[in-house]
Amino acid sequence: MRALPTGTVTLLFSDMEGSTKLLTRLGDRYVEALDAQRAILRSVWADWQGNELGTEGDSFFVVFAAPRDAVGAVAQAQRELAGFAWPGGESVRVRMGLHTGAPIPHDGAYVGIDVHRAARIAAAAHGGQIVVSAATAELVSDSLTDGLSLRDLGDHRFKDLERLERVYQLEVDGLDQAFPPLRSLGMSSTLPLLDAALIGRDAELEQLSQWIRTGQTRLLTLTGPGGNGKTSLAVELARSLVDAFPGGVYFVPLVSVSDGQSMWGSIADVLDLQEGREEDDVTAALRQRTALLVIDNLEQIDGAAKVAHRIIDQATKVVVIATSRRPLHVTAEQEFPVPPLGLPAEGAVAAIGKSAAVQLFVRQARRVRPTFDLDADNAPDVAAICRRLDGVPLAIELAAARSKLLTPRALLTRLGSALDLSTPEHDRPTRHQTLRDTIEWSYQLLRPEQQHSFRMLGAFVGGADLDAVVAVCRDDVATYDPLDIVADVVDASLAQMVESDDGEPRIVMLETIRAFAAELLESSAEHDAICERHAAFFADVVETQCARIHGPDHLTAQAVLETEFANIAAALEWSLAEGFDETGERTRRGVRIVARIGTVWGSGGRVDDAMHWLRRAVERGADLADADLAVCTSTLANFRMFRGEDGRQQAQDALDLFRALGNPPNGLPFVLRTMATVELDDGRLDQARALYEEAVDVARAADDIEALHRALSGLAVFVGNTGDLELCRQMEREALDLTIELGDPPAELGCRQNLACTLRLMGQIREAESMMTATVVSALAIYATNDLIYIGDDYGAILAEIGRDRDAARLLGASDAEYERLKMPRGQVQTDEIMPAYDQARARLSAADWDALYAEGRAIPLEKALRAALAETAAM
């Protein structure tokens, strides 16, 4: 043995991987493999001036005076091992580790921590792999020969070694370079442990991971309101990326930090820097690493953006994931607004249970009630709770924590203010103890003028477009642009900008956040002024869109009115509220809104809402005595009859009021038709006819085309029921021509439907079928549900007349189910007109076939039944 080198030396440890299994496979020939391995390695060690100190079985301990000799030796050794023809066609794979240090020579060997460090590093490698310590890598990195390179494997913890060890892989061209993670105690990571697996974020994790792994972003900011799971998502994302950051993955909490300078100290603490805590110290340490920093809760820190920018600018291999309620607004930033959890769909337990929000509720409920399970009884209530809480994780967790004492149904009824849901868990941050706490935290971070804007936005229910924001949130004494302030509120994740159906921006708030803003607004000095401007603006919206509802822009008008339903309801709540209204203008405006939109809501499927506001308008406006009140009263009568109730008194009150007002033509034809319907239902045919004819005369005299076509249609139905089908057809033809002149597609389809029904009754069945088929095609594109119900009735009757009994049975089933859903009976006139045709179809089928087809129709939406019938028609 040569004299042992002293001072700084490079220590090599190696051993065969899987030698016991290899022995099992080779049997007696294992000795050949062992001897060959020893011969190859000993020859190499000698070539490179290595000092063999210990050999035990298949392992070696060798010392080199020069680190580059050690590197050359292990590289040559792996090449020769890889090229050797081993017994039995086996592959002998040897792991090797190098570390350079100053061990103490003792009794023909060495002692000291460097020996242990080298042994631990070698033991972490895999067969065929060469790993070297940072000390060795630093000494040889500039003198590596061609075909050799170093790959940074990051900081690792090893048994019995106090500090982290930076480890590199020596890669040899032509040999394997891909190996599993080292067998260390783990890489450097300070990620906190989540209390449970993350729910419902698979899509987000996949997208964000791709952005980082492909180098698309180095500064990712997860934004959103408090409690929406930003931190949990950031931690889980970082955990999934550990393998991509050998320099370590670090979580930097900033709960007690208030400025950028303090941030540098917190980052230094997490990195365990011993040399210093200043900016230059941190950036110098990070500059050498391929690392990932998760910096949590940045919104309250002045200067946070500069710190983040400085890190990615100075440390080019570092990626930062930040969580904040507002973006940082630096050039390299990629913002990702974290959405709420997916809300449940309507349906059975299985469908509801697929929702991430519901899954979180169930998991949290089981923590306090282990026997809790989602079943057919409680699933709808759990779904309603999750929707009520906007899918916000914190809100759901707080609600589910009450499952120890309350069933989901009881909990749902007690969610009067979701803001006050609290938790008994004392380890939550104070700002997450209740929803109110977490929203209040964000609110207090706003400047005073931004807080003012946030409060004003609480007036909107269901969001608002920019015109509404400007109209309602204007401030005559302020010098700032309201839109700029709205942008700041959006920036703070207290509101969101979404794209409406027409491509225009719309500002929306989660309902829990809006409730907080509304509370602040209600207690503020500007409350009445804001609510008044809000009500006035949406009264104009109703006026404008209802005027367009009977024209070529009807679909756009319907869409606007549906989008703004909640805001219109809020405007009515303010206008028709009990209390002081000295001039009566608020009430008058509310009655006018209801007079315009009541029928639109009812025909659009919102019968309950329409009747609620009609009753409120009639009650609150009882002293107004104007045409709008009469229209509301008459509309209420119509809907009461629609539901099978007695509407005579309201119809009579409306007509009496118009008479008292001198029979103004605007609205009078509608009131006359309502009263005529009452008289017809009571069998007072002469009175009914007189009222229908008066409605026609008033509309003609006023040259009101919209009122005239409706009055003619009503009179036509009346005369048709008296048996004069030819006169009925003539009136319906005139009404159809008027709707074409008016440019009102829904009204035109209604007239074509009426005309097709009359043709059927006249025996012109093929003409009736052709007209009704075309009408159904168009109606499916533009009609609301309530209008389709009559289409289903009449189309099925025509199909029964031509012998398509099976289609007729399905359509009758679908229509009957829709009548029940809308809680309305089929009118007697309609029943008398269509049922004889259905009875004939029933008689031509067996009872079993009819019942099965009828049940099939009841089980599907009416729209689907109509489309199926159209498909059969097209196939003939």
Side-chain angles (χ1 to χ4, degrees):
M1 178 182 295
R2 303 184 185 93
L4 292 182
T6 58
T8 300
V9 297
T10 299
L11 311 170
L12 161 67
F13 283 92
S14 76
D15 72 316
M16 286 170 51
E17 182 180 57
S19 56
T20 302
K21 292 181 179 179
L22 183 63
L23 171 61
T24 302
R25 293 195 301 269
L26 289 177
D28 293 342
R29 299 197 68 189
Y30 173 74
V31 175
E32 295 179 39
L34 179 60
D35 288 344
Q37 187 251 176
R38 287 179 176 175
I40 291 171
L41 296 184
R42 280 180 170 147
S43 174
V44 171
W45 309 151
D47 289 346
W48 290 91
Q49 309 303 310
N51 294 270
E52 183 182 334
L53 296 185
T55 302
E56 182 177 347
D58 55 54
S59 64
F60 281 91
F61 173 27
V62 185
V63 178
F64 297 83
R68 62 183 177 181
D69 287 341
V71 168
V74 291
Q76 179 181 332
Q78 292 290 15
R79 288 192 181 106
E80 294 192 15
L81 290 169
F84 188 78
W86 298 98
E90 289 287 350
S91 176
V92 172
R93 298 173 63 83
V94 177
R95 54 182 165 222
M96 303 178 183
L98 299 177
H99 169 61
T100 302
I104 302 170
H106 176 71
D107 195 18
Y110 293 93
V111 296
I113 192 63
D114 285 318
V115 177
H116 293 277
R117 185 166 286 119
R120 294 284 187 255
I121 289 173
H126 298 271
Q129 186 179 26
I130 305 168
V131 292
V132 303
S133 69
T136 303
E138 184 176 356
L139 292 171
V140 302
S141 59
D142 293 334
S143 60
L144 291 176
T145 59
D146 290 342
L148 299 182
S149 60
L150 291 170
R151 177 191 292 183
D152 187 352
L153 298 183
D155 294 327
H156 288 258
R157 297 187 184 279
F158 295 97
K159 182 180 179 181
D160 299 329
L161 301 181
E162 293 183 359
R163 63 179 174 85
L164 292 171
E165 294 294 333
R166 193 61 166 274
V167 181
Y168 294 80
Q169 178 175 298
L170 179 66
E171 299 190 338
V172 183
D173 284 357
L175 301 184
D176 289 345
Q177 297 178 3
F179 298 96
L182 293 182
R183 297 184 178 96
S184 65
L185 297 181
M187 297 178 65
S188 176
S189 174
T190 62
L191 294 176
L193 291 176
L194 299 180
D195 60 358
L198 198 60
I199 289 178
R201 298 299 191 190
D202 290 348
E204 290 91 338
L205 285 169
E206 181 177 355
Q207 179 181 5
L208 298 175
S209 177
Q210 182 181 17
W211 285 357
I212 292 175
R213 287 184 181 276
T214 59
Q216 294 181 55
T217 181
R218 291 186 49 233
L219 174 56
L220 174 66
T221 306
L222 305 182
T223 61
N228 76 332
K230 299 184 295 295
T231 299
S232 296
L233 178 58
V235 169
E236 192 62 25
L237 174 61
R239 200 180 310 283
S240 72
L241 293 166
V242 166
D243 65 302
F245 292 93
V249 177
Y250 303 92
F251 182 81
V252 185
L254 300 173
V255 175
S256 60
V257 174
S258 59
D259 57 52
Q261 186 59 42
S262 300
M263 272 185 70
W264 292 114
S266 294
I267 297 171
D269 289 341
V270 170
L271 296 176
D272 196 24
L273 298 186
Q274 305 299 318
E275 295 79 9
R277 296 163 47 84
E278 302 302 317
E279 175 182 336
D280 290 343
D281 302 315
V282 174
T283 55
L286 289 174
R287 198 173 294 124
Q288 307 302 319
R289 308 188 188 202
T290 302
L292 173 64
L293 300 184
V294 179
I295 307 180
D296 191 40
N297 197 35
L298 286 179
E299 62 270 359
Q300 88 281 10
I301 300 175
D302 185 26
K306 291 181 179 179
V307 173
H309 174 72
R310 180 72 172 164
I311 288 172
I312 62 171
D313 181 60
Q314 292 296 307
T316 58
K317 295 181 180 180
V318 171
V319 170
V320 174
I321 300 174
T323 72
S324 177
R325 303 190 190 191
R326 61 169 67 243
L328 301 177
H329 295 301
V330 298
T331 304
E333 179 182 36
Q334 171 65 60
E335 182 186 358
F336 184 83
V338 178
L341 293 177
L343 293 175
E346 299 290 347
V349 176
I352 292 173
K354 292 180 180 178
S355 157
V358 170
Q359 291 171 17
L360 179 60
F361 182 96
V362 171
R363 186 178 74 186
Q364 298 302 108
R366 285 174 177 165
R367 289 186 169 184
V368 295
R369 183 186 289 182
T371 58
F372 182 88
D373 199 9
L374 193 70
D375 56 37
D377 290 333
N378 64 29
D381 297 318
V382 172
I385 291 169
C386 292
R387 293 191 196 99
R388 175 74 178 276
L389 299 176
D390 299 312
V392 175
L394 174 62
I396 293 171
E397 290 176 1
L398 295 179
R402 299 191 173 191
S403 297
K404 187 173 185 178
L405 301 175
L406 300 174
T407 65
R409 182 159 302 175
L411 175 58
L412 181 61
T413 61
R414 287 164 172 79
L415 280 183
S417 177
L419 292 170
D420 292 320
L421 286 171
S422 60
T423 176
E425 299 170 6
H426 301 296
D427 58 342
R428 287 185 185 271
T430 302
R431 65 181 185 279
H432 283 176
Q433 293 291 322
T434 70
L435 279 177
R436 188 183 303 279
D437 292 334
T438 195
I439 300 171
E440 173 78 16
W441 169 270
S442 294
Y443 175 73
Q444 293 299 335
L445 294 175
L446 299 175
R447 298 191 303 273
E449 66 271 19
Q450 295 169 344
Q451 292 178 347
H452 174 67
S453 182
F454 174 74
R455 292 193 300 270
M456 290 191 292
L457 289 174
F460 297 106
V461 187
D465 60 25
L466 294 182
D467 289 340
V469 171
V470 171
V472 175
C473 298
R474 67 181 185 271
D475 191 326
D476 297 333
V477 299
T479 58
Y480 54 81
D481 183 346
L483 290 182
D484 289 341
I485 303 303
V486 167
D488 285 334
V489 175
V490 171
D491 212 36
S493 297
L494 289 170
Q496 303 171 54
M497 277 287 194
V498 299
E499 185 176 307
S500 60
D501 292 339
D502 60 1
E504 291 298 311
R506 186 173 181 84
I507 298 165
V508 297
M509 283 179 165
L510 295 176
E511 181 53 32
T512 46
I513 295 177
R514 194 206 69 81
F516 181 77
E519 281 188 8
L520 295 176
L521 176 63
E522 188 173 1
S523 61
S524 70
E526 66 259 30
H527 173 259
D528 289 359
I530 293 297
C531 289
E532 183 62 27
R533 292 203 292 259
H534 177 276
F537 178 84
F538 285 102
D540 289 343
V541 169
V542 170
E543 197 80 36
T544 300
Q545 301 305 326
C546 285
R548 303 169 67 200
I549 209 79
H550 301 299
D553 296 328
H554 66 98
L555 289 178
T556 301
Q558 287 174 352
V560 171
L561 292 173
E562 182 61 25
T563 297
E564 302 298 358
F565 168 78
N567 275 315
I568 295 169
L572 289 173
E573 193 67 56
W574 169 257
S575 299
L576 297 177
E578 297 282 353
F580 182 70
D581 183 17
E582 183 175 359
T583 65
E585 287 306 308
R586 276 172 53 182
T587 302
R588 193 177 305 278
R589 178 181 58 220
V591 171
R592 184 172 181 80
I593 293 174
V594 177
R596 299 295 178 273
I597 205 168
T599 300
V600 176
W601 275 350
S603 65
R606 293 186 177 274
V607 180
D608 289 337
D609 294 305
M611 293 185 71
H612 167 77
W613 289 111
L614 286 164
R615 289 191 177 98
R616 284 277 295 273
V618 170
E619 177 186 341
R620 291 286 295 129
D623 297 331
L624 296 179
D626 62 10
D628 287 330
L629 176 63
V631 169
C632 288
T633 308
S634 184
T635 306
L636 179 58
N638 262 309
F639 281 122
R640 292 198 65 186
M641 290 186 286
F642 181 77
R643 285 280 174 84
E645 303 172 9
D646 182 5
R648 166 174 280 280
Q649 188 59 57
Q650 284 87 2
Q652 187 65 60
D653 290 346
L655 182 57
D656 290 346
L657 180 52
F658 258 97
R659 299 298 193 205
L661 293 171
N663 291 326
N666 187 23
L668 179 56
F670 169 69
V671 173
L672 289 167
R673 286 190 291 114
T674 301
M675 193 67 217
T677 303
V678 172
E679 300 287 20
L680 181 61
D681 286 348
D682 287 349
R684 298 157 60 92
L685 302 186
D686 291 343
Q687 292 87 337
R689 181 162 195 152
L691 289 165
Y692 278 127
E693 289 175 342
E694 184 182 355
V696 171
D697 292 341
V698 171
R700 284 193 193 280
D703 196 25
D704 186 340
I705 297 177
E706 197 276 327
L708 178 57
H709 86 74
R710 295 187 184 280
L712 279 169
S713 295
L715 180 57
V717 171
F718 175 84
V719 300
N721 288 333
T722 64
D724 193 345
L725 293 176
E726 179 56 34
L727 179 57
C728 173
R729 187 190 66 79
Q730 293 174 15
M731 290 181 176
E732 287 172 346
R733 182 73 248 184
E734 181 184 358
L736 175 58
D737 291 341
L738 289 170
T739 61
I740 294 173
E741 178 185 348
L742 185 64
D744 186 348
E748 179 184 339
L749 288 179
C751 288
R752 291 188 185 279
Q753 177 188 351
N754 289 340
L755 186 54
C757 292
T758 301
L759 290 172
R760 177 180 75 84
L761 295 174
M762 294 175 72
Q764 300 177 29
I765 191 62
R766 288 302 174 185
E767 293 87 341
E769 181 200 5
S770 177
M771 179 171 286
M772 184 62 85
T773 298
T775 300
V776 172
V777 171
S778 299
L780 285 169
I782 66 174
Y783 263 11
T785 303
N786 289 11
D787 296 313
L788 284 178
I789 196 170
Y790 299 112
I791 289 275
D793 267 0
D794 294 337
Y795 191 33
I798 289 176
L799 296 180
E801 291 272 11
I802 63 175
R804 289 175 56 183
D805 304 327
R806 300 176 69 84
D807 289 321
R810 277 189 289 261
L811 279 172
L812 182 62
S815 292
D816 282 353
E818 193 64 22
Y819 277 112
E820 292 175 15
R821 186 186 71 81
L822 294 171
K823 296 181 288 189
M824 60 176 279
R826 183 180 281 111
Q828 190 59 50
V829 172
Q830 178 77 349
T831 299
D832 293 343
E833 186 174 297
I834 66 172
M835 280 307 170
Y838 283 111
D839 289 340
Q840 292 174 18
R842 186 198 304 263
R844 290 191 291 266
L845 293 171
S846 69
D849 283 349
W850 174 271
D851 290 345
L853 292 163
Y854 178 82
E856 183 181 330
R858 287 187 62 90
I860 61 176
L862 177 55
E863 177 183 346
K864 186 174 181 179
L866 286 167
R867 293 190 187 280
L870 286 176
E872 288 293 326
T873 300
M876 290 182 175

